[in-house]
Amino acid sequence: MSRWQALADEAARWREAGRTAQLWWRDDDAVDAGEALDRLLAIARDLATPLALAVVPARATPALASRLAGETDVDVLQHGYAHTNHAVAPEKKIEIGLQRPAMLTLGELGTGWMALEQLFGSRALPVMVPPWNRISPVLVPTLPEIGYRGLSTFGPRPRVHPVRGLLQVNTHVDLIDWKGGRRFAGEETVIDALVTALARARAGDGEPVGVLSHHLAMDAGAWDFLRSLWEITRTLENIRVLGARGLFTAEVRDRGGRG
């Protein structure tokens, strides 16, 4: 319980400062209905925790849309287009980069958004979640030009608004150790990362802190921790878990109203 106590202590520091920390939950790589998705949604529903599901448009199925139809507090974000790597080794994997003509990349993103709108309707938010959390800086200013109002990657955001009309709300804590065997990173590591991110937000502008999960890649340890995390945060004063729609509400508008 000592690691969880560190989280409680950080919540107490927010209380002493007369402030409330904001947490949010993003899960990446959703494409279809299935047992893992059911397990994810059960946690969100049982613990009344808002969930942002980053969906890959080119691979998303009607079955996924049907599965989400009866769920509350589940928002859909756009996870690139096809989650395809266009980099050449030793470059890091990236889909939204400059390896191809920008117009081709942006055209795919637009096609992906139309697919999400058709499948998920108003549940889909015009928020871009780049695969592998990478996007070429040159392409960021084009996002609001083609209708996106939000951007979500990983790590502390350099600015609240990278460009006018675009709000950045990132994730900061990944449950999976991708380099260490694609397994649960461990309770100590994850809680330390969460406490560090919360402390950084408290010392700064109160940036919302995001927890990142991947329901298709999690082992038993990650699943157990995820449920414990949302159970415990519900008991902590001055930590509030928000949904993506609430976080992006100042920026998310009907894309049909763009100029």
Side-chain angles (χ1 to χ4, degrees), residues 8 21 52 110 164 202 243:
R164 183 177 179 181
R202 178 170 47 82

Side-chain angles (χ1 to χ4, degrees), residues 86 94-102 105 135-139:
H86 298 298
I94 189 170
E95 180 176 56
I96 311 176
L98 298 179
Q99 290 76 15
R100 303 181 302 156
T105 298
I135 180 172
S136 171
V138 175
L139 296 179

